[in-house]
Amino acid sequence: MFSKFLDAAIVAGVFMIFSPAFCLADTQRWLTDNAMGTTSSHKMENSKLTWYDGAKLTIEGRPFVDSVTSYSRLAVRHKADVTTDVWRNALSAAGVTLRFVTDSPTISASWENAKQPMGHMAWSGSGGLDLYSRDGDKWMFRGVGIPTTTETENVAVIQKFRQEPVATEYLLFLPLYSQVDKIEIGIEDGAKISTAPPRYEGQLPIVFYGTSITMGGCASRAGMSHPAIIRRMLDYPVINLGFSGSGKSEMGVARVLAEIPASVYVLEPVQNMTVEMIEERIVPFVKHLRSKRADTPILMVESPNVWSQGDKHVVWKKAFDQLKAEGISGLHYMKGDGMYRSQEDGTVDRTHPTDLGFYDMAVAYDPVLRQILNDSGVKLDAGK
């Protein structure tokens, strides 16, 4: 039973889908034509809302349709090929989102398994939800679901801004450091909810591989990791394969990455690796990825914490130079210097970024990824 029930509400706005001609009326038609029926819903004790299974909405950021749960990041077949720590981290929902359309002024979410909070990371990020709505060609923050219990279920508040029922597209980021086995979306009686329009069909995702920083430690909200911010900045699909403390570039992980068709592979595991690991693993890791994905750009990225990674950055760059010298094509390099652009320190503990640090990282990535995608023939405005 819930320790507490709280309803939530969202502001809706006019926005466009597919082309400048796709306006509010088109969104309303989409919702009307694709609304989930009452047979897909249920009532919940102590709630005035009607509840729908999130697994029946549009799930994005999940690399494998046969993942362990609807919101985890690896498939059962991968368990034998990765380390125990990678597998444990892969059960978390980092970077996984629900995208949907509803005209309900009130939106709530019920979800399971908000992991015990950590001392250096807000529980709203590690175990909570982060909601955005589409406003024109941008995704705007609308509210956060903060967990209140580590027991089976939480019910989230998402802030209330307006009362009118307006068909609106939403993007809900799931917890960065918690396994989500089940999530339900609650809307007002008489309101409708549907899957989202196929905005990103045919667009291969940007795939990030790395450490706890990639995974989102220590963002204050689930949508404030740099891969999530980039997802909204570029309005482009992103997959987060960050594994806290476990981004060590094992060949099993290279095989997993190679299964995922991508527009760019972003490799940022330096923080978790030793000099010896980089020297032994990175060249064969990248060569395997290139052998399976001959044309996909690969971006090798230094840690933003340059003050502590000097020797590792030297051998990381040496591995990049060796790969280039051996004729491995489509390689790109990004330095860590200047990723944190503010005069204020952008970390919690001189390692893990705050929201400020993650935003700085996303701003640094933005032109680099835009250029790589553009050079590959990817149109970032496709689907708008």
Side-chain angles (χ1 to χ4, degrees):
M1 201 58 227
F2 303 127
S3 63
K4 192 174 185 180
F5 175 82
L6 292 164
D7 286 341
I10 315 248
V11 61
V14 177
F15 56 90
M16 296 177 283
I17 299 176
F18 303 129
S19 72
F22 200 97
C23 60
L24 182 61
D26 299 299
T27 308
Q28 182 61 61
R29 280 195 297 272
W30 174 271
L31 179 60
T32 300
D33 292 344
N34 296 278
M36 296 170 64
T38 55
T39 55
S40 300
S41 68
H42 71 94
K43 287 294 186 180
M44 189 182 295
E45 186 179 355
N46 298 326
S47 171
K48 297 179 181 179
L49 303 182
T50 303
W51 294 84
Y52 293 83
D53 184 359
K56 296 181 180 179
L57 301 173
T58 302
I59 302 172
E60 297 180 344
R62 179 180 61 172
F64 302 101
V65 295
D66 56 345
S67 53
V68 179
T69 72
S70 295
Y71 314 107
S72 60
R73 296 179 291 152
L74 294 183
V76 174
R77 67 179 179 278
H78 296 130
K79 187 172 185 179
D81 212 19
V82 300
T83 67
T84 300
D85 287 339
V86 167
W87 180 255
R88 172 179 52 81
N89 278 288
L91 295 175
S92 295
V96 179
T97 64
L98 295 181
R99 193 163 59 89
F100 57 93
V101 176
T102 184
D103 58 359
S104 178
T106 300
I107 297 177
S108 281
S110 165
W111 75 107
E112 297 185 347
N113 302 332
K115 193 174 89 172
Q116 187 71 30
M118 296 177 282
H120 65 326
M121 183 173 181
W123 203 9
S124 50
S126 64
L129 308 173
D130 197 7
L131 187 69
Y132 297 77
S133 70
R134 191 160 183 89
D135 186 358
D137 62 353
K138 294 181 174 60
W139 291 100
M140 305 299 293
F141 171 67
R142 292 303 177 224
V144 59
I146 301 175
T148 57
T149 176
T150 58
E151 302 301 324
T152 304
E153 295 166 307
N154 277 276
V155 177
V157 167
I158 302 174
Q159 195 68 329
K160 184 173 184 177
F161 288 97
R162 66 184 288 180
Q163 296 294 329
E164 307 90 65
V166 179
T168 304
E169 184 177 0
Y170 295 101
L171 185 66
L172 182 69
F173 287 85
L174 303 190
L176 293 167
Y177 271 71
S178 296
Q179 177 178 338
V180 177
D181 295 326
K182 179 181 178 182
I183 183 168
E184 293 184 322
I185 303 298
I187 62 174
E188 292 183 7
D189 286 347
K192 296 183 289 293
I193 190 169
S194 75
T195 57
R199 183 189 299 280
Y200 308 104
E201 282 191 341
Q203 294 180 316
L204 299 180
I206 301 167
V207 177
F208 281 81
Y209 166 66
T211 68
S212 55
I213 296 174
T214 311
M215 192 168 168
C218 292
S220 70
R221 303 198 312 264
M224 289 305 294
S225 67
H226 64 285
I229 297 172
I230 290 165
R231 188 258 176 268
R232 297 193 300 278
M233 277 184 171
L234 302 184
D235 194 21
Y236 194 84
V238 168
I239 287 173
N240 184 327
L241 288 182
F243 303 115
S244 182
S246 308
K248 298 179 180 179
S249 303
E250 302 91 350
M251 189 54 66
V253 176
R255 288 191 285 269
V256 170
L257 259 66
E259 288 187 38
I260 307 170
S263 61
V264 186
Y265 295 108
V266 180
L267 308 183
E268 46 180 31
V270 171
Q271 192 78 38
N272 280 169
M273 300 184 75
T274 63
V275 166
E276 292 73 22
M277 285 179 183
I278 296 172
E279 290 175 332
E280 294 170 3
R281 297 179 181 182
I282 290 304
V283 168
F285 188 102
V286 171
K287 284 184 174 180
H288 178 80
L289 201 52
R290 176 56 73 235
S291 72
K292 300 298 182 180
R293 300 290 175 182
D295 301 318
T296 306
I298 298 171
L299 175 61
M300 295 175 59
V301 186
E302 294 180 353
S303 168
N305 300 309
V306 293
W307 64 273
S308 63
Q309 305 296 305
D311 290 342
K312 291 194 281 186
H313 284 167
V314 170
V315 295
W316 182 253
K317 181 60 163 60
K318 183 179 179 181
F320 172 82
D321 291 339
Q322 178 183 335
L323 288 161
K324 293 279 284 186
E326 292 183 14
I328 303 299
S329 62
L331 291 184
H332 305 266
Y333 196 88
M334 183 172 172
K335 295 184 67 65
D337 291 334
M339 257 197 221
Y340 295 150
R341 299 181 174 204
S342 169
Q343 69 177 16
E344 302 296 335
D345 185 76
T347 72
V348 170
D349 50 9
R350 298 216 73 193
T351 298
H352 298 92
T354 61
D355 292 356
L356 173 62
F358 279 125
Y359 179 75
D360 282 347
M361 290 179 68
V363 169
Y365 264 114
D366 183 284
V368 176
L369 289 172
R370 285 182 188 274
Q371 187 65 58
I372 292 172
L373 290 169
N374 182 69
D375 291 346
S376 301
V378 174
K379 296 185 182 300
L380 286 173
D381 61 351
K384 291 185 181 179

